[in-house]
Amino acid sequence: MTQELTLRIVLESPPPGVDFALQKGSGNNYEVVQKQRSANKDLLFELKIGVRENKSSDFTFAGPFVQGPPQERFIYIDIGTSAGQIDSVWTRRLKVPLRGITQAIIKRLLTNSSLVLQTKVPGTAKDGGPNCATVKPFPGWEVV
């Protein structure tokens, strides 16, 4: 049986004038959702992901927002042209890892639906453009 967790990703101080969106689906069969244009403030993405118990009684993440192999799951944030901003000079994606979410945290969240799992990641890369690739260093997730 699949249950759901709520995740919140705070993209801190992304460069202004760039579109950011969650990627729902994978391969050539995906859509961008919650598209937002940055404007000198943090961007917030909130989504639900599936969680199911596997044969060894561990939890795995699933659903249309979840990408990657079972041991390295992540969420994509599409940027610039990848988010549908045709006139953007940026074509990037940011991988927000789902690592570090323990079985104990998952059980806690499943028993209290008012709790949210949140991470804050930098929105600007060292080159001054939108942050992309896998978030490094990744600050992890916290229950709020």
Side-chain angles (χ1 to χ4, degrees):
M1 178 173 119
T2 301
Q3 296 177 285
E4 289 186 326
L5 300 179
T6 302
L7 301 183
R8 181 181 301 135
I9 301 168
V10 179
L11 192 62
E12 299 179 307
S13 303
V18 182
D19 285 358
F20 294 81
L22 289 174
Q23 181 174 311
K24 185 178 182 182
S26 60
N28 291 327
N29 188 25
Y30 73 89
E31 62 181 309
V32 294
V33 297
Q34 297 184 37
K35 183 160 68 168
Q36 304 171 54
R37 181 151 300 166
S38 55
N40 296 319
K41 62 178 183 166
D42 295 348
L43 299 179
L44 182 109
F45 298 95
E46 198 160 290
L47 63 143
K48 292 192 180 291
I49 63 169
V51 178
R52 61 176 176 243
E53 200 167 353
N54 62 25
K55 292 177 184 175
S56 62
S57 296
D58 289 332
F59 291 101
T60 58
F61 301 114
F65 292 105
V66 177
Q67 311 288 334
Q71 300 305 317
E72 294 294 323
R73 299 278 199 215
F74 60 90
I75 305 295
Y76 266 136
I77 296 178
D78 292 347
I79 303 164
T81 61
S82 297
Q85 185 182 8
I86 297 168
D87 63 344
S88 179
V89 298
W90 303 107
T91 302
R92 293 182 169 181
R93 289 193 298 186
L94 179 64
K95 287 170 95 170
V96 180
L98 295 175
R99 69 174 170 260
I101 303 172
T102 66
Q103 303 299 307
I105 289 172
I106 293 169
K107 287 178 184 177
R108 181 176 169 204
L109 291 165
L110 291 175
T111 59
N112 186 342
S113 63
S114 68
L115 296 175
V116 174
L117 203 52
Q118 177 176 286
T119 190
K120 294 181 179 182
V121 297
T124 301
K126 290 179 183 176
D127 67 2
N131 196 6
C132 62
T134 301
V135 176
K136 290 180 187 171
F138 181 62
W141 294 91
E142 65 177 338
V143 177
V144 294

